[in-house]
Amino acid sequence: QAYNCLIHFYKRTFYALKMSGMTEEWEEGTTENSTKYFVKIKNFGKKMKTWANGRKICSEPFFVRSSKFELIICPNGVDDDSENYVSVYIQNLSDFEVKINLEIAIESKNVSWKNIQIEGLSDDGTCEQIGDEKFYLHDDLINDRVLDQGTLTVSAEISLAWEELASDVKELKQEVVNLKNMMQTMDTFLTSKFTALESSMKSSPPCPECPICFEEMKPPTRIVQCRSGHLICQQCRDVKEVISCPTCKEEFTGRAFGMEKHLRALFC
């Protein structure tokens, strides 16, 4: 009988009833990034006949690096549609996403997934699962003589392609937020400084004062200079008592046209 293997994803409430003495479990070929986990279930032939669909056998949790998994076997399917089938799937009990390579096997019959991503436990206690709800038809399992005196062994080989460590990601995200805040604060500070500097340069650029009346000689003030280049306003120069430069006592030479032009460029 032809058998088409289907991929099924489930979201179920994480609840498992462990029955002492029902299973034997072990790992083989464990490395840093992979493991092969075995679950040997006693009296499985009886469970196929007597258990309602949806009733499941849950392995003990096992780890690949920091990622936590559980192997689930339903002797009589997960629902009415998969009744009379053995359903097998893996669920991710971690609180972060993982990407794995997975192979589930019963004797020589197997199904595999490459680089499949599985979400972790959600806030409401549900977790994502991957597997095949019609993994092995009961009649085929019996005809293939897979049961060993009523006992069935299921294996799941997992190699980790990628895992998102929640704590590391949380710390990195917080560091990014802190850096963004620092950059925003620095940007605000520098912007305010540049704005103040620009405003200061535009509103009050340096302007020479007359040493006699102490008024700024902004345009259109006429400016007079002495031989040494000292400046006074024309109004003060026109006072009869002012006959020489009050700074150096040198005589005046005339209008400071260069300075007047410079000041017009600044203030006009």
Side-chain angles (χ1 to χ4, degrees):
Q1 182 178 355
Y3 181 82
N4 294 323
C5 184
L6 303 177
I7 296 177
H8 299 274
F9 290 90
Y10 308 91
K11 274 284 189 178
R12 303 183 187 278
T13 302
F14 170 51
Y15 174 77
L17 177 63
K18 308 292 184 182
M19 298 184 180
S20 178
M22 180 182 292
T23 64
E24 294 179 15
E25 303 178 25
W26 67 95
E27 292 184 70
E28 292 181 2
T30 301
T31 67
E32 183 180 7
N33 294 312
S34 65
T35 191
K36 190 171 185 179
Y37 198 84
F38 293 85
V39 177
K40 186 176 183 180
I41 307 165
K42 302 174 184 178
N43 299 319
F44 193 83
K46 182 178 179 180
K47 293 176 177 61
M48 289 194 307
K49 297 176 182 178
T50 61
W51 280 25
N53 58 62
R55 189 176 178 184
K56 59 188 177 181
I57 299 167
C58 303
S59 76
E60 295 294 332
F62 59 95
F63 289 85
V64 181
R65 292 180 68 93
S66 299
S67 301
K68 184 179 181 182
F69 301 98
E70 188 176 48
L71 180 60
I72 309 295
I73 303 100
C74 295
N76 197 23
V78 296
D79 51 26
D80 291 339
D81 185 58
S82 59
E83 191 171 2
N84 296 318
Y85 282 88
V86 178
S87 303
V88 185
Y89 48 95
I90 282 286
Q91 65 181 6
N92 177 20
L93 301 183
S94 313
D95 57 0
F96 47 84
E97 292 182 1
V98 295
K99 183 180 286 187
I100 61 172
N101 299 311
L102 170 65
E103 181 179 274
I104 296 174
I106 297 177
E107 293 292 335
S108 60
K109 187 177 185 63
N110 63 75
V111 61
S112 61
W113 296 263
K114 297 293 185 181
N115 289 321
I116 190 71
Q117 189 164 320
I118 314 177
E119 294 181 5
L121 280 171
S122 60
D123 294 336
D124 61 1
T126 60
C127 55
E128 190 169 15
Q129 303 161 342
I130 179 174
D132 193 340
E133 63 182 11
K134 295 183 178 180
F135 187 86
Y136 221 136
L137 183 65
H138 286 178
D139 290 343
D140 290 345
L141 189 145
I142 293 171
N143 292 335
D144 294 343
R145 298 183 179 181
V146 173
L147 295 176
D148 180 13
Q149 297 181 349
T151 299
L152 182 74
T153 301
V154 182
S155 67
E157 186 171 5
I158 297 176
S159 62
L160 191 64
W162 172 83
E163 67 179 0
E164 178 189 61
L165 295 181
S167 59
D168 291 348
V169 170
K170 185 177 180 180
E171 290 178 3
L172 288 173
K173 286 181 177 179
Q174 186 59 49
E175 287 183 12
V176 171
V177 170
N178 293 340
L179 286 173
K180 285 183 177 180
N181 291 336
M182 289 175 61
M183 290 178 66
Q184 186 174 2
T185 301
M186 186 177 296
D187 181 67
T188 302
F189 174 77
L190 291 176
T191 300
S192 65
K193 288 295 184 182
F194 281 123
T195 301
L197 180 60
E198 185 179 26
S199 176
S200 174
M201 291 179 65
K202 287 183 177 180
S203 61
S204 57
C207 181
E209 293 181 352
C210 175
I212 296 176
C213 65
F214 301 107
E215 294 291 336
E216 289 184 339
M217 293 183 287
K218 292 182 179 179
T221 303
R222 294 184 177 185
I223 304 172
V224 179
Q225 65 182 2
C226 74
R227 290 183 180 276
S228 299
H230 299 128
L231 307 174
I232 68 170
C233 68
Q234 182 69 59
Q235 188 174 356
C236 291
R237 171 66 185 89
D238 291 340
V239 176
K240 293 181 179 181
E241 288 78 6
V242 180
I243 58 175
S244 62
C245 175
T247 303
C248 65
K249 305 305 179 182
E250 292 283 348
E251 63 181 12
F252 295 108
T253 59
R255 291 273 296 277
F257 291 107
M259 178 57 69
E260 289 179 7
K261 183 178 180 181
H262 173 67
L263 295 176
R264 280 197 299 271
L266 289 177
F267 295 100
C268 297

